[in-house]
Structure formats: C-alpha cells, structure tokens
Amino acid sequence: MTINIGETVFFDAARFCRIGAAIVLLGIAGCSSTNTNAPVPMADNAGPKDTGTFPNLNVPPKVANKQLTQAETNAKLAELKADGGAQGAKSGGGAAVSNQAALADLATKHGPQTLKQIEGKCDPALDPTCK
C-alpha cells in the first residue's frame, strides 16, 4: 500500500511540475512579443500615385539591358536551328524509314521468335545461351 501512495504522490508531482513549466513558458512567450503597432517606414515610390493625367502609352519604356540587333537575332536563330537539326539527326527519330518491306518482315517474325524464347523452345541459332 505504501508503494501505491508513493507512486501517486510522485506521479502527481511530476504532472504539476510539467503544467507549471508550461504556464511559465507561455508567460515568457507573451512578454517577448514585439510592438506591431509602431509605424513602419515605407519607400517613397511604393504603390500607384495619382498624377492627375492619363499615362502616355506611345512613349516606349526604358529597356533593362542592351537589346539584340536584327543581325544578332538572326545569327542566334540560325545557331539554334543548326543545333536542333544535329540533335534530330542523332536520334534518328525524324528520319523516314525507306525499307517498309524489311520492317513488315521483321514484324511477322519477331513475335513468334520472342514467344519461342519466352516459352523455352528457343532456337540455338538465334540465342546461343539457349538450352
């Protein structure tokens, strides 16, 4: 019976300590908040301003950087097209197939050959590892 009383006392004390620590931490967190009602400095040019006139859309805007000339633009486009053509030639995806009969023959033979290999009735001439 003494053990049960000791467990109750110690476990209750630990619970009260945890609750007290949580209350203290919440109190500290509440005191450490900053003043959000103080005026905040703003930039002079922030936001739209009413000038009393309509904007003139015929005036070209200032550019951020030096613009490409027409010759530079054409040179870059030619370089890009040449690079794209070289990539298409490497992949072989853009080339038209010239021998349709060979492809049709491959299509008719490929399926049965693959099935024979899968089913274990493979041809040693086609597969040297066939047993």
Side-chain angles (χ1 to χ4, degrees), residues 111-123 126-127 130:
Q113 289 173 353
T114 305
L115 281 176
K116 284 181 186 177
Q117 289 177 354
I118 291 172
E119 293 172 352
K121 303 172 190 167
C122 57
D123 186 8
L126 294 175
D127 188 10
C130 179

Side-chain angles (χ1 to χ4, degrees), residues 10-125:
F10 286 119
F11 285 135
D12 286 343
R15 183 180 336 149
F16 287 126
C17 287
R18 286 192 299 267
I19 292 172
I23 291 172
V24 168
L25 290 175
L26 285 174
I28 292 172
C31 292
S32 67
S33 65
T34 60
N35 185 6
T36 58
N37 295 333
V40 177
M42 296 187 68
D44 292 335
N45 59 359
K49 294 190 178 190
D50 186 11
T51 60
T53 62
F54 290 105
N56 187 357
L57 300 178
N58 296 322
V59 177
K62 292 181 182 178
V63 294
N65 203 351
K66 181 184 128 259
Q67 303 296 305
L68 293 175
T69 64
Q70 189 63 35
E72 290 172 331
T73 304
N74 292 338
K76 291 287 184 185
L77 284 174
E79 183 182 344
L80 285 173
K81 286 181 183 178
D83 288 345
Q87 286 180 351
K90 286 180 187 175
S91 67
V97 179
S98 60
N99 195 353
Q100 290 291 335
L103 286 177
D105 185 45
L106 176 67
T108 58
K109 292 181 181 177
H110 181 69
Q113 289 173 353
T114 305
L115 281 176
K116 284 181 186 177
Q117 289 177 354
I118 291 172
E119 293 172 352
K121 303 172 190 167
C122 57
D123 186 8

